[in-house]
Amino acid sequence: MAIKKSELYSSLWKSCDKLRGGMDASQYKDYILVLLFVKYVSDKYAGEKYASIVIPKGGSFRDMVALKGKKDIGEGIDKIIAALAEANGLKGVIDVASFNNSDKLGKGKEMVDKLSELVGIFQDESIDFSKNKADGDDILGDAYEYLMRHFATESGKSKGQFYTPAEVSRVIAKVIGISQTKRQDRTIYDPTCGSGSLLLKAADETPQGITIYGQEKDLATTALAKMNMILHGNETAEIWQDNTLSTPYFKNDDGTLKTFDFAVANPPFSDKAWGDGFDPENDLYERFWGYGIPPAKNGDYAFLLHLIRSLKSKGKGAIILPHGVLFRGNAEAEIRKNIIRKGFIKGIIGLPANLFYGTGIPACIIVIDKENADSRKGIFMIDAGKGFVKDGNKNRLREQDIHKIVDVFNKQTEVPKYSRMVTVDEIERNEYNLNIPRYIDSQEVEDIQDIEAHLLGGIPERDIDDLGEYWGVCPTLKDALFTTSARDGYLKLKMLPDEIKQTIFSHPEFVSYIHEADAVFSEWQKVNAPTLEHAGIDTKPKVVVHDLSESILQSFSGIDLVDKYDVYQHLMTYWIETMQDDAYQIAADGWKAELSPVIEKKNEWDSDLLPKQLVIDQYFATEQSTIEQLEAERDAESLRMEEMEEEHCCEDGLLECVRTDKGKISKGNVQKRIKEIKGAIDADAAEELGVLEAYLKLMGAEADANKKIKDARKALDKQVIDRYKVLTEDEVKTMVVNDKWMAAISEDVKTEMERISQRLARRIKELAERYATPMPAMNATVDELEMKVNGHLEKMGFDF
């Protein structure tokens, strides 16, 4: 059975629960990630000759399992990790944290129980990487990324800086041009590599791979980076631990800084101790020569200048820095001017606030390109600060935000309120201030109130003209909605505000527009459904979603009113939530529709790949309809019972005496009460008897209906189970691709079209209601009401 990403993530995060309390996330990550590493390499390489990772005797995850419940489990795990580290040159990498630390893991039985449970979680079959045939899609690397993001979230302000959000890393990787690299001997460098996530995202963009170099100041974080490289298949990456600014490791034979084809960095923001350990005024590596010395208490430009100095003459790179580097004065202003004059800055991408762990301030990506520096006449700027989604207490770039940034930057497309090419001459006139709002006004247009319309009525034609994108698609719709008024520049609505939506939706041009959009989706489905059906074992899910998403982006790029990136996001959201797990299962096991119990639901079963409801809809619609009819009849009986309860369960009501302590009416109580009053001749008893017998009859009818429903469902379940056993691969493919995937994506796209149409109706209704009652009419109403109130007060004897 293939590993489901969602189950893998859940299991891994569950393992963290065993360590919470004794230490914070910045510490227990060292234990969890080491166990994940040992489990992965054991599953993948144990027993293999010439494997890139040697699994020595007494150094595998299986040896850890043998220690479960033993009093020396902590010491034993340390020995296993030491053996694995010794065999692979990983000392100081995977043996940083001790599993025999009683201060963090508890003493005696507490430690034994905690570590035994922890090993047991990693022993679960959902974390069996030996069965993962889709390893080219890096399911383990994605799991590592998932953990790192959560650890960074929980680590707090001062301890989460080891991780660059994957979404930002992907933007950087795609805008530095590394995808054009065809040779593995090309190089990429990160001087503050943290856990290595930024380097790896850049390396992912290279079709043939690339040679990786990184340096990191923190010892434990360096270990994370080295493990990360191995887990992502980059065992030869060279990661060094030391202070990059004072003691850069990567140098040429003559002592000068080694230069690289590409460089990326997410250094600590505004580092106040950047100059520790060396004299910037006499820098051995000439990083500040010709630019200026950064302020003693702010190292942002020190890291930028180090990155520039570390690039070859045609090198390209990008660095993440706080927005302040774009406009701060004094020494930084001088450095900024000198960098701009050299033409090194290709572009600046302004990011949303609160993206990064350890700080909530907004940051930017400064893209460096030395190759075309001499001829560069401008800097391409993007204000992407408004494109994000809330994710817990942080903001996160969505798939559509990433794609839009990358498309616009790489194509140098000028988009109003989003991006533009700013000439160096204009920047000079602004005294080399690069603050993005100086050049891009991304503020929403103010919704101005029209005083004359408030006084005299009518809807300002200016506001209606602002909806011109709709009138371009539906040229006669405007005339169907509005008519001229007595005053120039103002219009009147032809119908009541509540009729606006229906008028729009039923207009022939708008109906035609919706049909056109539907036809685009239908054509996209026609082209892509066969491709999906051809997927099978060893298909690469990431390739599948890339081709699928690029295709839908292209298909909707020519449809007016539609933001193609919104449609793209619908597909990507469905991929992440559902389709991704299906694709990995198919890549590992093929089109097998296997039934399994539903967790925490007794006697419930279903199929992850092919939900049983789809099989029922396809083959047992009649049986399902019969059950629905029985349920409708049962619900009618239940409704009549509720009506009787509402009428007779009040104080002194005829059903009040048969209710239980919990407020429910018991069949036994009803029968007992009927028996008690049988034979009574008074009218009250006869009335009560009639109500009780009627209610008892309804209870019987409801019970009979429930039994019929239960029997029908049981029979249907048997039929469905039998059907699953004989489903052909073609049948499974058709239902999964068309009835599950495409149906869900189609529904999402339709909601996007509805949102577009509702936006128009909502705006027109807003304008109509805003100016519906002119001020004179409002004053007249107030005067009329005032006269009525005064009249009532006079009748009450008040004199004023």
Side-chain angles (χ1 to χ4, degrees):
M1 186 70 173
I3 298 176
K4 286 181 64 177
K5 284 197 173 188
S6 56
E7 289 181 3
L8 173 61
Y9 295 166
S10 176
S11 296
L12 291 175
W13 198 237
K14 180 182 174 184
S15 68
C16 300
D17 293 333
K18 302 303 175 186
L19 298 179
R20 289 189 178 95
M23 63 193 92
D24 65 28
S26 65
Q27 295 175 312
Y28 64 67
K29 75 178 187 303
D30 298 330
Y31 291 88
I32 301 301
L33 294 175
V34 166
L35 279 180
L36 177 62
F37 179 86
V38 175
K39 180 67 168 73
Y40 175 72
V41 297
S42 296
D43 285 351
K44 186 167 184 178
Y45 299 117
E48 283 195 19
K49 291 183 178 181
Y50 314 114
S52 56
I53 299 293
V54 176
I55 310 300
K57 183 177 181 181
S60 72
F61 182 77
R62 182 175 296 179
D63 297 305
M64 289 184 180
V65 173
L67 292 171
K68 287 169 61 179
K70 294 184 178 181
K71 64 181 181 180
D72 62 345
I73 184 172
E75 181 183 356
I77 290 177
D78 281 349
K79 289 180 179 178
I80 291 167
I81 293 171
L84 184 62
E86 179 72 31
N88 294 282
L90 294 174
K91 282 190 171 184
V93 177
I94 62 174
D95 54 358
V96 174
S98 172
F99 284 79
N100 201 32
N101 188 327
S102 58
D103 292 335
K104 294 180 177 179
L105 298 169
K107 296 178 174 63
K109 188 175 185 301
E110 182 184 356
M111 176 187 285
V112 173
D113 291 345
K114 184 175 290 185
L115 291 178
S116 296
E117 287 185 63
L118 197 57
V119 171
I121 290 171
F122 281 84
Q123 189 183 359
D124 189 279
E125 64 177 11
S126 67
I127 313 181
D128 184 356
F129 297 105
S130 65
K131 297 179 180 179
N132 178 35
K133 296 178 182 178
D135 58 353
D137 279 277
D138 196 20
I139 192 169
L140 187 278
D142 290 346
Y144 190 91
E145 191 78 44
Y146 168 87
L147 285 173
M148 293 298 287
R149 183 173 73 249
H150 281 72
F151 288 142
T153 301
E154 290 202 349
S155 290
K157 184 173 182 180
S158 63
K159 299 175 182 177
Q161 296 184 15
F162 55 80
Y163 175 72
T164 302
E167 296 80 15
V168 180
S169 297
R170 287 169 55 197
V171 170
I172 288 177
K174 292 174 182 294
V175 299
I176 61 175
I178 200 170
S179 62
Q180 305 302 316
T181 300
K182 305 299 182 185
R183 304 198 325 261
Q184 196 168 359
D185 62 353
R186 298 291 293 278
T187 56
I188 185 168
Y189 167 63
D190 186 341
T192 57
C193 68
S195 60
S197 55
L198 181 49
L199 276 171
L200 287 166
K201 283 293 183 288
D204 283 346
E205 292 294 315
T206 59
Q208 303 300 326
I210 196 167
T211 303
I212 296 174
Y213 298 86
Q215 187 163 340
E216 168 57 37
K217 184 176 181 179
D218 183 76
L219 177 61
T221 305
T222 303
L224 293 180
K226 290 181 178 180
M227 276 194 290
N228 205 358
M229 295 297 153
I230 295 171
L231 293 174
H232 282 78
N234 290 280
E235 296 90 344
T236 60
E238 192 168 351
I239 307 295
W240 188 257
Q241 186 269 316
D242 214 330
N243 185 327
T244 290
L245 293 181
S246 66
T247 318
Y249 176 73
F250 300 105
K251 298 189 288 288
N252 299 312
D253 293 339
D254 61 0
T256 59
L257 284 184
K258 181 179 177 65
T259 55
F260 306 89
D261 297 300
F262 298 94
V264 293
N266 179 20
F269 287 179
S270 306
D271 186 2
K272 298 184 184 308
W274 70 272
D276 288 358
F278 77 113
D279 179 10
E281 295 282 354
N282 298 292
D283 180 40
L284 296 175
Y285 311 104
E286 300 180 344
R287 290 169 288 190
F288 313 124
W289 186 82
Y291 300 97
I293 306 297
K297 298 297 184 182
N298 194 322
D300 293 330
Y301 272 100
F303 288 106
L304 174 55
L305 291 173
H306 177 88
L307 181 135
I308 290 173
R309 181 68 181 80
S310 300
L311 285 170
K312 293 180 179 179
S313 60
K314 294 184 178 181
K316 298 169 173 51
I319 186 170
I320 302 165
L321 291 172
H323 262 290
V325 301
L326 302 178
F327 54 80
R328 291 195 298 249
N330 301 318
E332 291 184 311
E334 182 66 20
I335 297 171
R336 184 170 58 246
K337 179 177 71 173
N338 290 327
I339 296 174
I340 293 170
R341 283 180 169 178
K342 287 182 180 292
F344 289 155
I345 301 178
K346 178 180 180 180
I348 299 170
I349 301 168
L351 298 171
N354 202 28
L355 283 183
F356 296 90
Y357 303 94
T359 180
I361 65 174
C364 62
I365 299 171
I366 298 179
V367 183
I368 303 296
D369 183 1
K370 282 188 173 182
E371 182 175 9
N372 302 304
D374 292 341
S375 60
R376 184 160 288 119
K377 301 299 183 183
I379 296 175
F380 191 77
M381 294 188 183
I382 293 178
D383 185 349
K386 295 181 178 179
F388 63 89
V389 66
K390 292 293 294 182
D391 186 10
N393 63 349
K394 304 301 292 183
N395 295 331
R396 179 170 53 81
L397 296 177
R398 299 164 295 181
E399 293 293 328
Q400 69 182 91
D401 302 320
I402 296 168
H403 212 303
K404 182 176 181 179
I405 292 170
V406 173
D407 282 352
V408 169
F409 188 89
N410 287 342
K411 297 173 184 176
Q412 304 277 281
T413 305
E414 295 200 347
V415 178
K417 295 187 174 297
Y418 187 77
S419 64
R420 64 175 286 233
M421 175 64 75
V422 182
T423 66
V424 173
D425 288 342
E426 183 177 354
I427 293 170
E428 282 186 25
R429 291 195 299 272
N430 280 277
E431 299 178 334
Y432 296 95
N433 187 314
L434 294 176
N435 197 20
I436 296 174
R438 284 195 174 218
Y439 307 101
I440 300 174
D441 179 10
S442 62
Q443 297 300 311
E444 296 294 331
V445 177
E446 186 179 356
D447 188 9
I448 299 173
Q449 301 277 339
D450 189 295
I451 301 300
E452 184 177 343
H454 278 300
L455 291 173
L456 303 176
I459 300 173
E461 193 167 9
R462 177 191 66 249
D463 288 330
I464 304 305
D465 289 343
D466 286 342
L467 300 169
E469 58 179 344
Y470 289 95
W471 316 138
V473 172
C474 306
T476 65
L477 177 57
K478 179 179 175 182
D479 291 337
L481 291 165
F482 303 101
T483 186
T484 57
S485 70
R487 299 179 357 265
D488 289 340
Y490 295 86
L491 301 174
K492 289 166 54 178
L493 195 65
K494 284 185 175 180
M495 70 287 302
L496 295 173
D498 290 341
E499 298 172 350
I500 294 172
K501 184 176 179 180
Q502 180 57 36
T503 302
I504 294 171
F505 283 29
S506 61
H507 192 275
E509 290 173 349
F510 193 82
V511 171
S512 176
Y513 167 74
I514 296 298
H515 286 165
E516 179 188 352
D518 289 343
V520 169
F521 181 84
S522 296
E523 181 61 25
W524 175 82
Q525 178 175 345
K526 180 181 177 182
V527 170
N528 287 278
T531 302
L532 291 174
E533 290 179 1
H534 287 136
I537 291 176
D538 293 332
T539 293
K540 304 303 181 187
K542 286 186 178 178
V543 174
V544 170
V545 70
H546 174 270
D547 294 346
L548 202 63
S549 60
E550 291 301 314
S551 173
I552 203 168
L553 197 64
Q554 181 63 35
S555 295
F556 280 88
S557 61
I559 304 296
D560 291 325
L561 304 180
V562 176
D563 186 333
K564 62 182 180 180
Y565 295 106
D566 286 336
V567 177
Y568 169 85
Q569 182 63 43
H570 283 299
L571 171 60
M572 295 306 297
T573 298
Y574 181 67
W575 169 262
I576 292 167
E577 293 177 351
T578 301
M579 197 174 171
Q580 176 178 242
D581 280 339
D582 292 345
Y584 273 90
Q585 181 176 331
I586 292 166
D589 303 325
W591 295 85
K592 292 182 180 179
E594 297 178 339
L595 295 170
S596 58
V598 177
I599 299 174
E600 296 181 357
K601 287 191 178 182
K602 188 177 181 181
N603 298 325
E604 283 285 330
W605 49 268
D606 211 333
S607 169
D608 290 327
L609 180 62
L610 179 60
K612 67 177 182 181
Q613 189 58 52
L614 294 181
V615 176
I616 291 171
D617 293 342
Q618 181 70 27
Y619 299 106
F620 304 104
T622 301
E623 290 82 352
Q624 179 67 19
S625 178
T626 300
I627 292 174
E628 290 170 357
Q629 180 60 36
L630 290 172
E631 289 174 335
E633 294 171 0
R634 186 268 318 276
D635 292 343
E637 303 290 349
S638 300
L639 179 61
R640 285 194 282 271
M641 290 169 65
E642 290 175 10
E643 291 170 347
M644 289 189 70
E645 289 173 22
E646 187 174 342
E647 181 180 358
H648 298 291
C649 278
C650 54
E651 187 176 350
D652 298 327
L654 299 179
L655 292 176
E656 187 65 25
C657 63
V658 294
R659 298 176 78 172
T660 66
D661 293 340
K662 295 182 178 181
K664 301 292 184 181
I665 295 179
S666 159
K667 181 179 179 180
N669 287 350
V670 174
Q671 291 173 326
K672 180 180 178 182
R673 181 59 181 160
I674 289 175
K675 194 171 184 180
E676 289 174 353
I677 62 175
K678 276 279 190 179
I681 58 173
D682 60 279
D684 289 341
E687 182 183 0
E688 182 181 0
L689 180 63
V691 169
L692 289 170
E693 287 181 335
Y695 192 87
L696 185 63
K697 183 178 180 181
L698 288 174
M699 293 181 82
E702 183 186 50
D704 289 343
N706 278 328
K707 185 178 184 307
K708 290 179 181 178
I709 292 168
K710 182 179 179 181
D711 291 343
R713 283 178 176 166
K714 187 175 180 180
L716 177 57
D717 278 354
K718 184 180 183 308
Q719 288 178 288
V720 173
I721 291 171
D722 290 341
R723 184 69 204 188
Y724 266 94
K725 295 176 182 177
V726 297
L727 284 174
T728 66
E729 183 175 289
D730 286 342
E731 288 176 313
V732 174
K733 286 180 177 181
T734 299
M735 283 186 281
V736 171
V737 173
N738 294 323
D739 302 337
K740 182 182 182 182
W741 294 345
M742 288 299 180
I745 298 168
S746 173
E747 194 62 33
D748 286 342
V749 172
K750 285 180 180 177
T751 63
E752 186 61 31
M753 302 308 300
E754 289 172 5
R755 188 179 68 82
I756 291 169
S757 55
Q758 288 171 356
R759 190 172 62 209
L760 173 63
R762 187 166 56 247
R763 177 57 176 167
I764 293 175
K765 186 175 182 181
E766 177 187 33
L767 292 171
E769 292 177 344
R770 175 183 296 175
Y771 302 112
T773 307
M775 188 64 70
M778 196 177 298
N779 289 336
T781 301
V782 171
D783 291 342
E784 182 182 351
L785 291 173
E786 184 180 9
M787 289 178 61
K788 289 182 179 180
V789 171
N790 290 340
H792 287 305
L793 290 173
E794 287 179 2
K795 289 180 181 179
M796 295 169 64
F798 291 97
D799 189 16
F800 53 90

